[in-house]
Amino acid sequence: MNASDLRDKTPDELRDQLVQLKKEAFNLRFQQATGQMESTSRMRSVRRDVARVKTILNEKAAAAATTE
């Protein structure tokens, strides 16, 4: 997931994406706790994707606040 791809999305789409990523992070933590995790690198990429989405949402909110 690229930041440039995220910037093209609307805030509502970004919030939906954030919810999906948080669900995936929860499921990955659950898999790790039960010893069923296959790819530990996926946890890192999901955490970074969550941070990326939050950053873009904050940028869009700041841009909207300055234009008003």
Side-chain angles (χ1 to χ4, degrees):
M1 173 179 321
N2 285 336
S4 60
D5 296 337
L6 293 174
R7 284 190 177 93
D8 295 336
K9 294 186 177 187
T10 65
D12 290 334
E13 291 173 336
L14 289 172
R15 285 187 202 96
D16 291 340
Q17 178 111 24
L18 186 61
V19 168
Q20 291 173 354
L21 287 169
K22 286 189 173 191
K23 283 181 183 179
E24 184 176 357
F26 173 78
N27 289 333
L28 288 172
R29 284 195 310 269
F30 198 85
Q31 286 177 9
Q32 184 180 28
T34 59
Q36 297 174 353
M37 180 171 265
E38 295 174 7
S39 174
T40 57
S41 64
R42 183 68 185 140
M43 285 186 71
R44 181 179 184 183
S45 63
V46 169
R47 274 199 321 265
R48 289 183 178 201
D49 288 343
V50 166
R52 219 174 266 125
V53 169
K54 285 183 176 182
T55 301
I56 301 298
L57 277 172
N58 285 334
E59 286 176 359
K60 287 183 181 277
T66 57
T67 58
E68 292 178 357

